[in-house]
Amino acid sequence: MADAASQVLLGSGLTVLSQPLMYVKVLVQVGYEPLPPTLGRNIFGRQVYQLPGLFAYAKHIVKVDGRAGLFKGLTPRLCSSAIGTVVHSKVLQVLCPLSHALPPLADSPFLLQTSREMVARSAATLITHPFHVITLRCMVQFIGRETKYSGTLSAFTTIYREEGILGFFAGLIPRLLGDILSLWLCNMLAYLINTYALENGVSMAEMKSYSQAVTGFFASMLTYPFVLVSNLMAVNNCGLAGGLLPYAPTYSSWLDCWSQLHKEGNMSRGNSLFFRKVPAGKRYVWDERRFR
């Protein structure tokens, strides 16, 4: 219990600290660009037009809503983090004695640990996804200045009344697929590096611990499109300006969303909040103002 409580507290602290970053990322993922591009230099030193980065975007939010505005959606996100941590821990406790009884898994530590982690993560994601949906919609309200999802409890009522039970699980499938794929890629790459690329010995122990973090970074980059599609589907056609044109069309399914993003070349939109190149063929808020 003490270990679970400490994990919840640590997770809550990290959630609060990372909230402004996630807020900006979500607005960028939706395609909301209220600030015009500026002429700058890319990492190779060439002059290009770039969209404002994290700090300029956050400064704009503070200008509109004050510093507290950077923490919209924090309450449901904290609930998601705390509940997810507890569920993840409890599922692992239940699975530990059961998984050792399965011969195919018991003979392979890699399969055993990864399978347990997959089930635990999936269970936590499934249970906390309604809070994730509410978090995203609270953030996206910034675009249209709505107050439809002003509180966590009232948001549950609103979603159930307008969309039914399925509304709480909008975007769940790509999120689950992304989590599972990222986990297996990360663990498999780390296993291969630790087993075949690094020599055994005390001097290699620290390197092996770093390999998990490095492979996790690459796995998250490869599976980022699933995160983007999941977040877009969570706010798609929900009655908020950020889930409607000109920011996003009404997608019939997450596969339709994936297909359209792929055609537009926007599969990595929001992945980087620095050195953001202006995409071709896209109209943004500053364009609309210019033509009025």
Side-chain angles (χ1 to χ4, degrees):
M1 288 296 292
D3 184 55
S6 63
Q7 289 180 0
V8 169
L9 288 175
L10 177 61
S12 298
L14 293 175
T15 298
V16 173
L17 291 176
S18 65
Q19 181 69 8
L21 188 148
M22 181 184 175
Y23 191 12
V24 172
K25 180 179 284 288
V26 168
L27 293 180
V28 171
Q29 286 175 338
V30 173
Y32 180 64
E33 298 291 349
L35 303 174
T38 57
L39 187 63
R41 295 185 182 274
N42 60 15
I43 57 176
F44 301 106
R46 191 177 68 178
Q47 280 193 334
V48 293
Y49 277 99
Q50 297 176 340
L51 292 169
L54 170 65
F55 299 111
Y57 208 121
K59 186 177 180 180
H60 171 73
I61 295 174
V62 171
K63 183 178 179 180
V64 175
D65 283 341
R67 293 181 180 177
L70 289 172
F71 296 91
K72 281 186 178 179
L74 179 60
T75 300
R77 190 170 175 227
L78 283 173
C79 293
S80 176
S81 175
I83 295 172
T85 300
V86 173
V87 171
H88 182 273
S89 177
K90 294 298 182 182
V91 172
L92 283 180
Q93 289 177 15
V94 173
L95 289 178
C96 279
L98 295 178
S99 56
H100 286 290
L102 299 174
L105 296 179
D107 294 338
S108 174
F110 164 72
L111 288 177
L112 179 65
Q113 295 174 8
T114 306
S115 298
R116 282 198 312 237
E117 182 66 20
M118 179 184 68
V119 175
R121 281 196 191 184
S122 299
T125 298
L126 180 64
I127 292 175
T128 61
H129 194 73
F131 291 98
H132 180 68
V133 171
I134 293 172
T135 297
L136 296 175
R137 294 185 181 185
C138 287
M139 293 175 173
V140 170
Q141 286 185 138
F142 177 83
I143 298 173
R145 312 306 299 159
E146 297 108 335
T147 57
K148 185 176 181 179
Y149 299 94
S150 56
T152 303
L153 294 178
S154 62
F156 272 98
T157 304
T158 300
I159 294 175
Y160 181 75
R161 184 178 64 249
E162 295 183 357
E163 304 169 55
I165 294 294
L166 292 180
F168 295 112
F169 300 97
L172 175 63
I173 294 177
R175 188 182 178 202
L176 275 176
L177 290 175
D179 283 348
I180 292 172
L181 185 58
S182 176
L183 173 65
W184 280 94
L185 281 175
C186 175
N187 286 8
M188 188 177 297
L189 289 173
Y191 173 76
L192 293 174
I193 292 173
N194 294 341
T195 304
Y196 300 105
L198 299 179
E199 299 178 359
N200 293 324
V202 179
S203 59
M204 289 292 105
E206 189 174 358
M207 288 296 295
K208 288 184 177 183
S209 66
Y210 290 147
S211 67
Q212 190 79 14
V214 174
T215 55
F217 173 75
F218 284 108
S220 64
M221 288 186 63
L222 291 174
T223 58
Y224 177 78
F226 289 95
V227 176
L228 175 60
V229 171
S230 173
N231 287 354
L232 290 181
M233 291 305 297
V235 302
N236 184 59
N237 199 27
C238 66
L240 299 177
L244 301 169
L245 288 172
Y247 305 103
T250 301
Y251 302 112
S252 59
S253 68
W254 73 270
L255 291 174
D256 179 39
C257 178
W258 183 292
S259 177
Q260 292 198 41
L261 288 173
H262 181 70
K263 290 178 182 178
E264 297 168 358
N266 280 326
M267 295 301 288
S268 61
R269 186 172 66 197
N271 192 19
S272 173
L273 296 179
F274 301 97
F275 303 108
R276 299 198 299 127
K277 183 181 177 181
V278 179
K282 179 79 174 171
R283 292 278 293 276
Y284 288 112
V285 174
W286 74 79
D287 288 308
E288 300 297 333
R289 290 173 179 170
R290 186 175 60 186
F291 289 106
R292 284 177 183 175

